[in-house]
Amino acid sequence: MDGRYAGVPGGSTPVTHSPRPAALNARIDTALKAKGADYRPRSEHLRPDGSPRYTNRLILEDSPYLTQHAHNPVDWYAWGAEAFEKAKRENKPIFLSIGYATCHWCHVMERESFENPAIADLLNRHFVAIKVDRERRPEVDQTYMTAVQLIAGRGGWPLNAFLTPDGRPFHGGTYSPPGPFRGLVTRVAALWDGKRQEVLDQAGRVAQVLAAVQARQAMAGAVGREAIQAAVTEALETHDELQGGFGPAPKFPREPLLMLLLNAAERSPEPALLEAIGTTLDAISRGGIHDQVGGGFHRYATDNDWLVPHFEKMLYNQAQLARVYLLAWRLTGNPLYRRVATQALDYVLRDMRSAEGAFYSASDADSEGREGTFFLWTPEQLRGVLPGEDAALAINLFGVTDGGNFEGGNILHLPRPLAEFAGENGMSQAQLLDRLDRIRERLYQAREARPHPLRDDKILTAWNGMMITTLAQAGDLLGEPRYTGAAARAARFLWEQNHRAAGELWRVHLDGSSSIPALQEDYAYFAEGLLQLYDSTGDSLWLERARELADAMLERFWDDEKGGFFMARQDNQITALGRAREMSGDTSMPSGNSVALRVLQMLSVRTDRFDYGERARATLAAFAEPVARHPPGFGYLLHGEWGRRRYAALGGIRIHAAQAGARRVTVELEIPPGWHVNAHQPLQENLIPTTLALVPGTDGWRLGQIDYPVGERQQLGFQREPLSLYQGKVQIEATIEPVAPASRIVPLRLGLQACNDQVCLAPETVVLHLPMTDGKTPPPVDAAGNPHEARDAATATFRVAK
């Protein structure tokens, strides 16, 4: 084989090739001739007659990606025993390069480096070069991708790694321009020759960490769909079909479990699951556990009927239940769920918010020396506050009697569904809600004159973080800026008052001063709130602050031995009992580990940091055994991230689905400078197009005409042919038709591939869950013709500011 190439500036460059057996040369010649007379070698190195100057073993492969490299001057081997035997026999390190046929930057690096005779000569003399098609050998790709991410902190394709002769990686990265890549190859060759033991030690350390990572990934993989289905099945077995809830009295809302069930129902709206969710949420919202006058929720019910609560109100219940009802509204479109959620949020903004915008912890159950007095009513009290017809309506609606239902007074509740009550009394539900709002306002103002229960005014970082998450999500889902603004104001307060230095938090703020070093849950909950604010606003400041807290949490609380997080820092321990770990799961609120898992998962798709995803898997693996024993106890840990906003390209591309009319949907991509995705018609067969479709197996919806934007035709410097690309803001529109849907959630699947000036990422599939309103049925309206949901928000002034 001719090893010289006269086309290199400055003269010819010799390319070293190891001698090949005659039988192998014969096989290569036969394979080349079999290509036929019309074959055009993919190479710049051609003889005058058009035949290739170089042909290597890859001509024998059946992979389009490998055969693309068959005429490089690099003496490539395919993945197999032959390459590794040669490396061991000659005691040479291995250069491993992984890509795929449609990888844009793989082709760039091929032309710039693997077609470069000088670089090829370095690789051939000092290494055994192996080329892998990731689509044919995904197990090889997965192993070395994980290793390179551990070494370099990020990955992508082309993936390039340097290995010992037995396959242990010690260095790696992605695309590199020819100059830096040539320098890297030279340095690695010198290290192998001059400091081999150091290289072998590094390879040993990487292999050890890689083995631990793969073990954790396997354990984390076991905590998947099966665990979620087991949790749902066990929850339904304990569901009270008559009065709602899961288990006997005393009845707790069990918000983490409800979030998991709602999450599962979005993926698969099974009738039994939807029935259990609806029965429970309807019972809670109509019961005495729900403050029918002021909004919000008491902590739990002492009876099976959700009637008699323990009357204290905790901030964490408001945050969680408001979120539960928001998610239920998103799933079902039931306006009463939205109403309950906004009333809880408005109660918090009115009665549990400090002047600076942070949130107090709780209010007591007692007032005037007795439990519940503040919340009880008699028929006489109602008649003294309300006009005659409204008083009669309230007494009937709330089930008020002379004898009462709690210590001589009445806990207001709704014995019958509102729609049923409205029909029995000759009015629509919208008309009933109008009257109910006027009644609630009068009762609230009258109740304000009573002695109030004691309020716990301490401001806890964790609980405020939880409330920030809910408010930011409410602002996003409802299109309500005042909720987003309240979340941002509280976040700024915590950052100014309870953030004492880089990565350092206080747990408590009271009477103008902050104290107590923060626990792991404080970091986790606050970071989650900041990430939800980032999602809702797009302001990268919140993402940066969330990353700071997550990094500090990993540094201060991570359990290197078992994975997951300790509850407190090592330097806060003053006994010999060791550091506490929270392994009991999600009880009245999600555990710090569950929230940390969600934070790490969110960061893993919003940033280019591999270690976030790895620590998330390690956290999940740490809980594999207890999850297997009792899946329903880990609702938030198993609660995945779903919604209409997603991220791609290492967090760089923001994707948002929206309803654009009764039968139209839009999917918008915000692509940052320096990045692009291929258009729907990318002009070249080997490029991955951008596509929109329904998730396979979706019942009840049909996607009609899809209108893709026209791509921008560009001739990039390294590309012979023009490309059709999407850059900046791009919007795809489509028609959507319901076909007896079981859920109003439309699961959309967006396929794309993103590239920047250094790397092509793997083709991605992003799933968006878009709630659709019924285009045939308008929302309820009041007597003036205004949509009832909008009117409810507009007339909530009395619940927000006194």
Side-chain angles (χ1 to χ4, degrees):
M1 180 176 292
D2 188 345
R4 305 183 66 81
Y5 171 48
V8 175
S12 61
T13 300
V15 179
T16 303
H17 289 84
S18 298
R20 293 196 302 228
L24 175 60
N25 278 329
R27 289 175 59 207
I28 290 175
D29 289 342
T30 300
L32 182 59
K33 290 177 182 177
K35 297 291 184 180
D38 294 333
Y39 177 63
R40 296 291 178 267
R42 180 189 168 94
S43 178
E44 299 175 358
H45 309 306
L46 303 176
R47 296 187 175 92
D49 64 357
S51 64
R53 190 175 296 273
Y54 306 106
T55 303
N56 56 54
R57 291 167 177 80
L58 300 186
I59 195 70
L60 304 173
E61 301 298 319
D62 60 0
S63 158
Y65 176 63
L66 296 187
T67 56
Q68 286 172 358
H69 293 264
H71 302 296
N72 296 161
V74 177
D75 191 15
W76 291 113
Y77 285 72
W79 179 269
E82 181 186 9
F84 284 92
E85 288 169 0
K86 174 181 172 64
K88 293 173 184 176
R89 183 173 63 250
E90 299 181 7
N91 203 15
K92 284 183 176 180
I94 291 168
F95 171 69
L96 176 68
S97 182
I98 303 176
Y100 52 98
T102 59
C103 170
H104 174 67
W105 283 99
C106 298
H107 303 327
V108 174
M109 193 163 184
E110 178 196 8
R111 284 195 296 274
E112 291 180 342
S113 294
F114 303 145
E115 284 278 277
N116 184 309
I119 293 175
D121 184 63
L122 283 172
L123 289 171
N124 294 344
R125 281 191 290 118
H126 298 289
F127 299 86
V128 175
I130 299 177
K131 179 59 77 170
V132 170
D133 181 344
R134 68 174 293 265
E135 294 173 350
R136 292 180 74 236
R137 303 302 301 259
E139 80 287 4
V140 176
D141 176 63
Q142 176 64 36
T143 297
Y144 289 102
M145 175 61 72
T146 303
V148 169
Q149 288 172 323
L150 287 169
I151 294 167
R154 61 182 300 178
W157 294 273
L159 184 73
N160 300 309
F162 295 91
L163 322 178
T164 61
D166 61 359
R168 292 176 298 163
F170 58 86
H171 190 77
T174 56
Y175 166 80
S176 181
F181 180 66
R182 180 175 181 174
L184 174 63
V185 171
T186 303
R187 290 193 300 275
V188 172
L191 282 172
W192 182 258
D193 290 339
K195 298 182 178 180
R196 186 168 303 175
Q197 190 57 49
E198 292 183 17
V199 173
L200 293 175
D201 290 345
Q202 165 73 356
R205 288 190 294 270
V206 172
Q208 189 175 27
V209 175
L210 181 60
V213 167
Q214 290 174 327
R216 289 195 294 265
Q217 288 176 340
M219 292 179 67
V223 188
R225 286 289 181 89
E226 295 79 8
I228 295 173
Q229 186 56 53
V232 171
T233 299
E234 291 187 31
L236 293 181
E237 289 173 354
T238 63
H239 177 241
D240 183 339
E241 296 180 358
L242 295 178
Q243 294 148 317
F246 303 91
K251 283 192 171 179
F252 290 81
R254 299 190 65 182
E255 297 96 332
L257 177 59
L258 283 169
M259 289 188 205
L260 175 64
L261 298 181
L262 285 162
N263 192 244
E266 282 205 7
R267 294 194 305 271
S268 180
E270 300 296 333
L273 179 55
L274 293 171
E275 177 67 21
I277 292 170
T279 299
T280 297
L281 295 188
D282 291 347
I284 291 174
S285 65
R286 288 166 44 203
I289 189 175
H290 179 211
D291 183 353
Q292 303 292 337
V293 171
F297 300 89
H298 303 293
R299 194 157 75 90
Y300 64 90
T302 62
D303 63 333
N304 273 320
D305 296 329
W306 303 98
L307 172 63
V308 181
H310 180 50
F311 285 92
E312 66 183 335
K313 284 183 166 183
M314 313 300 295
L315 180 64
Y316 62 77
N317 288 122
Q318 316 314 316
Q320 292 184 95
L321 279 170
R323 190 172 173 190
V324 163
Y325 279 92
L326 277 171
L327 296 176
W329 169 74
R330 181 178 71 178
L331 175 66
T332 66
N334 185 340
L336 294 179
Y337 291 159
R338 171 177 174 155
R339 177 184 175 88
V340 171
T342 57
Q343 286 174 354
L345 295 175
D346 294 341
Y347 156 69
V348 171
L349 296 183
R350 181 193 66 227
D351 289 345
M352 298 188 75
R353 182 165 59 164
S354 72
E356 298 81 11
F359 302 106
Y360 301 131
S361 294
S363 64
D364 204 336
D366 297 351
S367 60
E368 303 181 70
R370 296 173 57 204
E371 182 179 5
T373 301
F374 182 77
F375 300 99
L376 301 179
W377 296 86
T378 65
E380 291 76 14
Q381 289 172 325
L382 293 176
R383 294 187 185 102
V385 172
L386 300 171
E389 289 186 359
D390 283 348
L393 177 66
I395 290 170
N396 188 11
L397 177 65
F398 291 126
V400 176
T401 64
D402 291 333
N405 54 31
F406 183 76
E407 296 186 358
N410 287 271
I411 303 168
L412 301 189
H413 68 295
L414 298 169
R416 286 165 290 176
L418 288 173
E420 180 182 317
F421 182 92
E424 291 174 356
N425 288 271
M427 65 181 82
S428 68
Q429 180 171 290
Q431 291 170 328
L432 174 60
L433 289 172
D434 280 334
R435 292 189 64 181
L436 180 55
D437 278 344
R438 293 197 298 270
I439 290 169
R440 289 181 65 242
E441 181 171 3
R442 284 179 175 269
L443 295 181
Y444 173 78
Q445 297 297 348
R447 198 176 73 176
E448 280 295 280
R450 299 176 179 180
H452 281 241
L454 175 69
R455 188 177 62 195
D456 182 348
D457 286 353
K458 70 175 179 293
I459 293 166
L460 292 174
T461 299
W463 296 7
N464 270 255
M466 194 187 310
M467 196 69 232
I468 290 167
T469 296
T470 299
L471 282 165
Q473 190 170 30
D476 192 24
L477 287 176
L478 303 178
E480 186 56 76
R482 66 191 179 94
Y483 292 143
T484 309
R489 188 180 178 204
R492 286 191 293 268
F493 175 89
L494 287 186
W495 199 261
E496 292 166 2
Q497 299 298 326
N498 282 14
H499 176 258
R500 49 179 169 152
E504 294 287 345
L505 289 177
W506 293 115
R507 176 168 173 80
V508 179
H509 183 87
L510 182 65
D511 295 333
S513 63
S514 299
S515 63
I516 311 295
L519 300 176
Q520 181 268 335
E521 69 172 24
D522 295 299
Y523 284 83
Y525 273 111
F526 191 13
E528 183 182 31
L530 295 174
L531 286 170
Q532 187 62 60
L533 266 173
Y534 169 64
D535 283 358
S536 301
T537 66
D539 187 343
S540 61
L541 172 67
W542 304 122
L543 178 62
E544 293 167 10
R545 290 178 173 179
R547 290 181 66 165
E548 178 186 323
L549 296 185
D551 291 344
M553 179 176 68
L554 289 167
E555 178 185 347
R556 291 160 173 76
F557 302 96
W558 181 254
D559 185 342
D560 288 316
E561 181 181 351
K562 298 179 180 179
F565 295 88
F566 292 108
M567 296 179 69
R569 290 169 55 163
Q570 182 64 54
D571 55 12
N572 288 344
Q573 298 301 114
I574 58 176
T575 74
L577 296 179
R579 299 170 71 183
R581 285 175 58 88
E582 193 175 24
M583 298 297 292
S584 59
D586 304 320
T587 53
S588 59
M589 54 188 283
S591 73
N593 273 281
S594 293
V595 181
L597 172 65
R598 183 172 176 84
V599 166
L600 294 171
Q601 289 172 332
M602 293 175 75
L603 284 170
S604 72
V605 297
R606 288 161 177 79
T607 70
D608 60 358
R609 286 268 299 275
F610 163 78
D611 58 321
Y612 289 138
E614 161 52 22
R615 295 295 183 93
R617 287 186 288 271
T619 301
L620 197 57
F623 285 84
E625 185 177 342
V627 167
R629 288 198 306 267
H630 183 50
F634 295 85
Y636 206 75
L637 189 86
L638 298 173
H639 171 242
E641 186 182 0
W642 303 85
R644 58 183 181 175
R645 180 175 287 110
R646 285 291 171 266
Y647 296 84
L650 307 176
I653 298 178
R654 286 169 60 93
I655 304 167
H656 180 250
Q659 184 172 356
R663 295 291 182 265
R664 295 286 287 177
V665 297
T666 65
V667 175
E668 184 176 88
L669 290 75
E670 297 180 46
I671 305 170
W675 286 86
H676 66 263
V677 301
N678 299 319
H680 179 60
Q681 296 180 329
L683 301 183
Q684 297 181 43
E685 291 184 2
N686 67 338
L687 295 181
I688 301 296
T690 297
T691 59
L692 182 67
L694 291 174
V695 171
T698 298
D699 294 325
W701 296 95
R702 181 173 56 239
L703 208 58
Q705 178 179 330
I706 304 174
D707 298 323
Y708 293 97
V710 177
E712 299 179 30
R713 293 174 65 97
Q714 290 200 12
Q715 182 84 42
L716 302 181
F718 51 76
Q719 186 78 28
R720 296 189 187 96
E721 303 86 4
L723 301 175
S724 181
L725 310 174
Y726 293 152
Q727 300 181 93
K729 273 195 176 183
V730 177
Q731 193 169 85
I732 302 169
E733 297 189 8
T735 58
I736 184 82
E737 292 293 335
V739 186
S743 167
R744 75 171 189 148
I745 302 296
V746 176
L748 297 168
R749 185 179 68 170
L750 179 72
L752 55 86
Q753 182 180 29
C755 298
N756 64 9
D757 60 355
Q758 290 189 337
V759 67
C760 273
L761 303 179
E764 298 180 68
T765 298
V766 179
V767 176
L768 304 112
H769 289 79
L770 175 64
M772 295 285 292
T773 59
D774 184 353
K776 295 180 292 185
T777 305
V781 296
D782 60 17
N786 299 311
H788 188 75
E789 291 179 31
R791 178 204 46 73
D792 182 59
T795 60
T797 308
F798 84 94
R799 298 190 294 275
V800 177
K802 301 175 192 175

